[in-house]
Amino acid sequence: MSKAAIKPLLKNPFDPPEKVEFTIPGEISRITGGYEEAMKEGYDLIQRPIKSVKIEQIEKQHFKKRMTVWERLSVLSGESPNVLYQNWGKNLDGASLVTAILTIGGRDVAVYGHDFTVRAGSIDATNGNKLARLFNLAAAKGIPVIGMNDSAGAFVPAGVGGLDGYAEAFTALRKMSGVVPSIMCMFGFNAGGGSYLPRQGSFVIQPNDTFFGLTGPGVVKSVLGEDVTPEELGGPKVHGKSGVADITVTDEVAALRTAVRLLSYLPDNNSVAAPFQETSDPLDRKTWEINTLLKKAFNSPTGFNTPFDVSIIIQQICDHGDYFELQPERAKEVVTAFGRLGGNVVGFVANNSAVSSGQIDCDSAVKIARFVRFCNIYNIPIIFMEDTTGFLPGREQEARGIVQAGRSMLDSIVDVRTPRILLILRNAYGGAYASYNNYPTGADLVLALPTTRLAVMGPAGKEFVYKDEVRKMRATAADMVKKGAAERIAAGQDGAAAKKDAEKEAAEWLKAQEGALNLRYEKELMNPKEGLALGSISSIVMPTDLRKVLGENMSFLLRHYKPGPMGGVQREFH
C-alpha cells in the first residue's frame, strides 16, 4: 500500500475528502478518458480498507480505549507498512484482517492485525488463507512475527469457511513455530479460534480490560449456569498467573511497546544469533551490590536460611542493569528472563529463595522447561542460578504430576545445545541439583559462590551421616527424662508434673545438641569443598567478580558456538 493510504489517519476525519487529480504536472488540461477512470478506480481500491470504515466505528474503538489497526501499526513503527493483499474476498472484505511487512528497529517483521471496525475483525476462509500466507512468508524469509489480535472469531455467515480459514492459519503457524519467533498482543474480546491462534505463538502479551478464552461469559452462563465476568474468566490476572499470558501490561500502547522491546532480545530466526548490542557498561565492573545483599542476608539472625530476591543479582550482572522478565506473575519461586552481558543476549533461569525457599513445584518446573526450550531453539545461551532446597514434596504436588513436570524440566536442560553456565548461589540439594544443568547434564561451566551449600540433603542429612551419634543423643535424652522425673518425685513433686518438667528439660538439651550437630554437618558437608574435589564445581567466584567472570566465560563460549537450526533426533517431551 502506498504512503498516501496511511495519511488519512493523521488528518481530521471530518475534513471534506481530498479531490485527487490524475494529471501530469505541467500538462495542458484536456478531456479525461478511460485511462483516468481506471486510475481513479485503482486509487479508490487502494483507499478502501481505510475509507470504507465509518467514523462511528472508529469512535466506538476509541470509546473503548482501543486503537484501530492502522493506529496500532503506527505505534509499532514510525515507518509506513508494506501492506500485503490490500483487499481480498468476493466483496473485497479482506480488510478485516491486515497483513504487512513492517520495519522495526531496522529489521523486517511480519505483522498482522484484525481490523475490528470491519466485520468485528472476524475470520472467513479468505482471511485464514491470507494469514497463512503471511506465516509461510515469514518462515521462508526468516523474519519474526508480531500479531495484533482483536477478533470476534470465525465469521458466522461464512459457515464452515471461517473454520477452514482458522484451521489453515493454525497449521501454518504451527509449521512456522521453531523456525521464527512470534509475539502476540491480545486486544479487545477474543474467544475460540481467536484465543487458540495467538497462544500458538512464542509469547503472549495481554493488557488490562481485555479478554481471551475458550468461550465468553455468555456461553459459560448458558451451559454451566455460572455467572462470571470477562475479567474473572479470561482477564490478564487469570492468564498472567497461569502462564497462558507471558506478560501483562496496563494498556494497548504498553503492549505494543513491550512487544518491540521483547523483539530486541530475539533473533530473526533459528539459524542466527540474537542481535548483539554494543554496551558502555564495562565487563569488569565490580558487583559490590551483590556482596552487600548477601552480607546483609547471611549475617542476619536467620543466617544462611535467610531468603533474598535473586532478581537483584540478575540486575547487577546485566549490562546497565537492564533485563526482561517473562511470566513474572507465575511461579515466582523461579525467575526466567532475557538480559545482555557484554552486548550478548543471555537467558537467565534463577531460583528465587524469596518465594517458597526457591523450591521447584509443578508450575515452576514447566515454566523453566518452556523458557529453556525456547532459548535452545533460537540459539540463546543460558545462565542458570541455583538456590533451591529441592522439589516441593507433598500430596498436592504428586496429584498434580510433579514427577512429570520435573521430568519436563530435566529433559529440556539435557537437550540444550547452546552455551550454558551454572552458578550455584547457595543451596543445591538432591534431585534439584542433579537435574539443574550440572556437568553430567551438559553444562559448559559450573561456578559457585563461597556461600554454596552443595549436598545430597539439607540439615536433615545429619540423620544419615551421623546416625550413631543421633541415636546416642536420643537415648541419652530418654534416660534424662526417666532420671529427672525420678529425682523430682523423690523431692516430693507430683508424678505427672515431674515427668512433664523432665521431658521439657530433656527436649531443650536435645534441641541444643541437634543444633550443634546441624552446624557441624553444614561445615563438614554443606559447602563447595567436596564439589571442587570431585570436579562437580570448576571454581569459586567472589560475589564482586560475578559480572566479569560470567561475561568473559560466556564471550569465550559464544566465540566457539555456531548458530543454526536444531538438527538430529528430536526427543519426545511433555
Tab-separated table of all heavy atoms in Angstrom, residues 405-438:
chain	number	residue	atom	x	y	z
A	405	ALA	N	6.230	-33.101	35.592
A	405	ALA	CA	6.687	-31.723	35.402
A	405	ALA	C	8.192	-31.621	35.598
A	405	ALA	O	8.898	-30.948	34.838
A	405	ALA	CB	5.956	-30.791	36.371
A	406	GLY	N	8.707	-32.313	36.631
A	406	GLY	CA	10.141	-32.306	36.871
A	406	GLY	C	10.901	-32.955	35.742
A	406	GLY	O	11.992	-32.510	35.350
A	407	ARG	N	10.322	-34.008	35.193
A	407	ARG	CA	10.942	-34.675	34.047
A	407	ARG	C	10.992	-33.733	32.845
A	407	ARG	O	11.978	-33.701	32.103
A	407	ARG	CB	10.158	-35.938	33.712
A	407	ARG	CG	10.661	-36.630	32.440
A	407	ARG	CD	9.526	-36.836	31.453
A	407	ARG	NE	10.028	-37.054	30.098
A	407	ARG	CZ	9.361	-37.723	29.173
A	407	ARG	NH1	8.203	-38.247	29.461
A	407	ARG	NH2	9.848	-37.844	27.959
A	408	SER	N	9.933	-32.946	32.629
A	408	SER	CA	9.922	-31.981	31.519
A	408	SER	C	11.065	-30.981	31.671
A	408	SER	O	11.731	-30.625	30.694
A	408	SER	CB	8.584	-31.245	31.470
A	408	SER	OG	7.527	-32.131	31.210
A	409	MET	N	11.270	-30.514	32.900
A	409	MET	CA	12.357	-29.578	33.161
A	409	MET	C	13.709	-30.233	32.893
A	409	MET	O	14.572	-29.662	32.201
A	409	MET	CB	12.292	-29.089	34.608
A	409	MET	CG	13.328	-28.040	34.957
A	409	MET	SD	13.428	-27.693	36.737
A	409	MET	CE	14.572	-28.980	37.248
A	410	LEU	N	13.904	-31.437	33.414
A	410	LEU	CA	15.164	-32.144	33.217
A	410	LEU	C	15.421	-32.407	31.738
A	410	LEU	O	16.531	-32.189	31.238
A	410	LEU	CB	15.141	-33.467	33.991
A	410	LEU	CG	16.302	-34.436	33.733
A	410	LEU	CD1	17.632	-33.787	34.065
A	410	LEU	CD2	16.123	-35.717	34.530
A	411	ASP	N	14.398	-32.870	31.014
A	411	ASP	CA	14.559	-33.144	29.589
A	411	ASP	C	14.999	-31.903	28.828
A	411	ASP	O	15.876	-31.960	27.964
A	411	ASP	CB	13.242	-33.658	28.995
A	411	ASP	CG	12.928	-35.086	29.425
A	411	ASP	OD1	13.794	-35.724	30.044
A	411	ASP	OD2	11.809	-35.553	29.145
A	412	SER	N	14.371	-30.779	29.140
A	412	SER	CA	14.701	-29.545	28.423
A	412	SER	C	16.146	-29.135	28.662
A	412	SER	O	16.824	-28.642	27.755
A	412	SER	CB	13.749	-28.411	28.840
A	412	SER	OG	13.999	-27.996	30.174
A	413	ILE	N	16.634	-29.365	29.889
A	413	ILE	CA	18.011	-28.987	30.224
A	413	ILE	C	19.016	-29.930	29.564
A	413	ILE	O	20.033	-29.505	29.016
A	413	ILE	CB	18.193	-28.951	31.758
A	413	ILE	CG1	17.377	-27.788	32.349
A	413	ILE	CG2	19.659	-28.814	32.133
A	413	ILE	CD1	17.330	-27.762	33.861
A	414	VAL	N	18.717	-31.226	29.575
A	414	VAL	CA	19.605	-32.194	28.934
A	414	VAL	C	19.725	-31.904	27.433
A	414	VAL	O	20.790	-32.065	26.837
A	414	VAL	CB	19.089	-33.631	29.166
A	414	VAL	CG1	19.857	-34.634	28.310
A	414	VAL	CG2	19.212	-34.007	30.640
A	415	ASP	N	18.631	-31.454	26.816
A	415	ASP	CA	18.604	-31.222	25.369
A	415	ASP	C	19.317	-29.945	24.929
A	415	ASP	O	19.513	-29.733	23.732
A	415	ASP	CB	17.153	-31.159	24.871
A	415	ASP	CG	16.462	-32.520	24.911
A	415	ASP	OD1	17.177	-33.528	25.061
A	415	ASP	OD2	15.227	-32.564	24.791
A	416	VAL	N	19.692	-29.077	25.859
A	416	VAL	CA	20.272	-27.778	25.481
A	416	VAL	C	21.573	-27.962	24.700
A	416	VAL	O	22.451	-28.729	25.089
A	416	VAL	CB	20.530	-26.909	26.738
A	416	VAL	CG1	21.310	-25.653	26.361
A	416	VAL	CG2	19.209	-26.518	27.382
A	417	ARG	N	21.687	-27.244	23.583
A	417	ARG	CA	22.899	-27.284	22.760
A	417	ARG	C	23.620	-25.950	22.760
A	417	ARG	O	24.751	-25.840	22.309
A	417	ARG	CB	22.530	-27.648	21.318
A	417	ARG	CG	21.725	-26.530	20.646
A	417	ARG	CD	20.882	-27.017	19.476
A	417	ARG	NE	20.010	-25.935	19.063
A	417	ARG	CZ	20.250	-25.135	18.036
A	417	ARG	NH1	21.331	-25.297	17.313
A	417	ARG	NH2	19.424	-24.171	17.719
A	418	THR	N	22.957	-24.896	23.251
A	418	THR	CA	23.570	-23.571	23.280
A	418	THR	C	24.536	-23.481	24.467
A	418	THR	O	24.467	-24.289	25.392
A	418	THR	CB	22.496	-22.472	23.416
A	418	THR	OG1	21.774	-22.679	24.642
A	418	THR	CG2	21.522	-22.519	22.254
A	419	PRO	N	25.449	-22.517	24.482
A	419	PRO	CA	26.348	-22.349	25.632
A	419	PRO	C	25.555	-22.164	26.921
A	419	PRO	O	24.544	-21.458	26.940
A	419	PRO	CB	27.133	-21.082	25.283
A	419	PRO	CG	27.105	-21.025	23.792
A	419	PRO	CD	25.759	-21.562	23.397
A	420	ARG	N	26.021	-22.803	27.989
A	420	ARG	CA	25.280	-22.700	29.254
A	420	ARG	C	26.220	-22.811	30.442
A	420	ARG	O	27.158	-23.597	30.444
A	420	ARG	CB	24.203	-23.754	29.339
A	420	ARG	CG	24.645	-25.158	28.911
A	420	ARG	CD	23.526	-26.114	29.154
A	420	ARG	NE	23.636	-27.350	28.439
A	420	ARG	CZ	23.149	-28.502	28.885
A	420	ARG	NH1	22.554	-28.549	30.060
A	420	ARG	NH2	23.245	-29.604	28.180
A	421	ILE	N	25.927	-22.001	31.434
A	421	ILE	CA	26.737	-21.925	32.647
A	421	ILE	C	25.823	-22.104	33.854
A	421	ILE	O	24.709	-21.575	33.887
A	421	ILE	CB	27.463	-20.565	32.748
A	421	ILE	CG1	28.447	-20.397	31.581
A	421	ILE	CG2	28.188	-20.420	34.073
A	421	ILE	CD1	29.075	-19.009	31.512
A	422	LEU	N	26.307	-22.846	34.844
A	422	LEU	CA	25.601	-22.951	36.123
A	422	LEU	C	26.375	-22.172	37.175
A	422	LEU	O	27.575	-22.372	37.348
A	422	LEU	CB	25.478	-24.416	36.562
A	422	LEU	CG	24.967	-24.635	37.998
A	422	LEU	CD1	23.552	-24.097	38.168
A	422	LEU	CD2	25.018	-26.119	38.379
A	423	LEU	N	25.675	-21.281	37.866
A	423	LEU	CA	26.238	-20.565	39.005
A	423	LEU	C	25.457	-20.985	40.244
A	423	LEU	O	24.259	-20.717	40.346
A	423	LEU	CB	26.133	-19.049	38.799
A	423	LEU	CG	26.484	-18.187	40.012
A	423	LEU	CD1	27.953	-18.354	40.385
A	423	LEU	CD2	26.145	-16.721	39.750
A	424	ILE	N	26.131	-21.643	41.186
A	424	ILE	CA	25.471	-22.045	42.431
A	424	ILE	C	25.617	-20.905	43.439
A	424	ILE	O	26.729	-20.534	43.814
A	424	ILE	CB	26.084	-23.341	42.992
A	424	ILE	CG1	26.034	-24.456	41.935
A	424	ILE	CG2	25.331	-23.781	44.251
A	424	ILE	CD1	26.695	-25.745	42.377
A	425	LEU	N	24.495	-20.353	43.834
A	425	LEU	CA	24.493	-19.215	44.760
A	425	LEU	C	24.558	-19.661	46.210
A	425	LEU	O	25.305	-19.107	47.018
A	425	LEU	CB	23.232	-18.376	44.550
A	425	LEU	CG	23.005	-17.789	43.156
A	425	LEU	CD1	21.649	-17.113	43.098
A	425	LEU	CD2	24.104	-16.798	42.808
A	426	ARG	N	23.759	-20.668	46.538
A	426	ARG	CA	23.688	-21.131	47.932
A	426	ARG	C	23.282	-22.605	47.935
A	426	ARG	O	24.105	-23.474	47.728
A	426	ARG	CB	22.714	-20.276	48.743
A	426	ARG	CG	22.512	-20.786	50.161
A	426	ARG	CD	21.666	-19.864	51.021
A	426	ARG	NE	20.467	-19.379	50.359
A	426	ARG	CZ	19.563	-18.582	50.920
A	426	ARG	NH1	19.739	-18.173	52.166
A	426	ARG	NH2	18.504	-18.181	50.261
A	427	ASN	N	22.002	-22.899	48.106
A	427	ASN	CA	21.554	-24.279	48.255
A	427	ASN	C	21.477	-25.019	46.929
A	427	ASN	O	20.922	-24.509	45.944
A	427	ASN	CB	20.172	-24.312	48.925
A	427	ASN	CG	20.204	-23.730	50.320
A	427	ASN	OD1	21.188	-23.889	51.044
A	427	ASN	ND2	19.135	-23.048	50.723
A	428	ALA	N	22.014	-26.225	46.903
A	428	ALA	CA	21.904	-27.108	45.749
A	428	ALA	C	21.806	-28.526	46.295
A	428	ALA	O	22.815	-29.176	46.541
A	428	ALA	CB	23.112	-26.957	44.828
A	429	TYR	N	20.567	-28.980	46.504
A	429	TYR	CA	20.349	-30.244	47.193
A	429	TYR	C	19.736	-31.294	46.264
A	429	TYR	O	18.893	-31.002	45.413
A	429	TYR	CB	19.386	-30.078	48.375
A	429	TYR	CG	19.854	-29.149	49.473
A	429	TYR	CD1	18.927	-28.542	50.322
A	429	TYR	CD2	21.199	-28.874	49.679
A	429	TYR	CE1	19.335	-27.698	51.342
A	429	TYR	CE2	21.610	-28.039	50.699
A	429	TYR	CZ	20.679	-27.440	51.517
A	429	TYR	OH	21.099	-26.599	52.519
A	430	GLY	N	20.120	-32.530	46.489
A	430	GLY	CA	19.443	-33.707	45.961
A	430	GLY	C	19.079	-33.660	44.496
A	430	GLY	O	19.855	-33.262	43.629
A	431	GLY	N	17.829	-34.111	44.223
A	431	GLY	CA	17.351	-34.222	42.846
A	431	GLY	C	17.301	-32.899	42.128
A	431	GLY	O	17.443	-32.847	40.895
A	432	ALA	N	17.107	-31.806	42.870
A	432	ALA	CA	17.069	-30.495	42.230
A	432	ALA	C	18.440	-30.156	41.647
A	432	ALA	O	18.546	-29.635	40.541
A	432	ALA	CB	16.638	-29.435	43.231
A	433	TYR	N	19.499	-30.465	42.395
A	433	TYR	CA	20.845	-30.241	41.862
A	433	TYR	C	21.119	-31.185	40.694
A	433	TYR	O	21.660	-30.789	39.658
A	433	TYR	CB	21.900	-30.455	42.945
A	433	TYR	CG	23.290	-30.652	42.374
A	433	TYR	CD1	24.013	-29.578	41.865
A	433	TYR	CD2	23.841	-31.930	42.288
A	433	TYR	CE1	25.271	-29.773	41.293
A	433	TYR	CE2	25.092	-32.126	41.725
A	433	TYR	CZ	25.799	-31.042	41.226
A	433	TYR	OH	27.024	-31.238	40.652
A	434	ALA	N	20.719	-32.445	40.846
A	434	ALA	CA	21.011	-33.462	39.835
A	434	ALA	C	20.354	-33.162	38.493
A	434	ALA	O	20.802	-33.635	37.455
A	434	ALA	CB	20.568	-34.839	40.333
A	435	SER	N	19.286	-32.373	38.499
A	435	SER	CA	18.570	-32.088	37.248
A	435	SER	C	18.688	-30.628	36.825
A	435	SER	O	17.954	-30.171	35.960
A	435	SER	CB	17.084	-32.440	37.420
A	435	SER	OG	16.499	-31.693	38.474
A	436	TYR	N	19.631	-29.896	37.411
A	436	TYR	CA	19.674	-28.450	37.177
A	436	TYR	C	20.990	-28.023	36.525
A	436	TYR	O	21.794	-27.311	37.105
A	436	TYR	CB	19.467	-27.715	38.511
A	436	TYR	CG	18.958	-26.296	38.376
A	436	TYR	CD1	17.636	-26.040	38.084
A	436	TYR	CD2	19.813	-25.213	38.559
A	436	TYR	CE1	17.155	-24.744	37.990
A	436	TYR	CE2	19.350	-23.906	38.456
A	436	TYR	CZ	18.018	-23.680	38.172
A	436	TYR	OH	17.559	-22.397	38.076
A	437	ASN	N	21.238	-28.501	35.319
A	437	ASN	CA	22.337	-28.021	34.493
A	437	ASN	C	23.707	-28.138	35.164
A	437	ASN	O	24.476	-27.192	35.205
A	437	ASN	CB	22.102	-26.563	34.077
A	437	ASN	CG	23.116	-26.107	33.023
A	437	ASN	OD1	23.305	-26.768	32.012
A	437	ASN	ND2	23.781	-25.001	33.266
A	438	ASN	N	24.026	-29.312	35.683
A	438	ASN	CA	25.374	-29.540	36.192
A	438	ASN	C	26.227	-30.153	35.081
A	438	ASN	O	25.772	-30.308	33.947
A	438	ASN	CB	25.318	-30.456	37.417
A	438	ASN	CG	24.377	-31.626	37.197
A	438	ASN	OD1	24.328	-32.188	36.099
A	438	ASN	ND2	23.601	-31.976	38.204
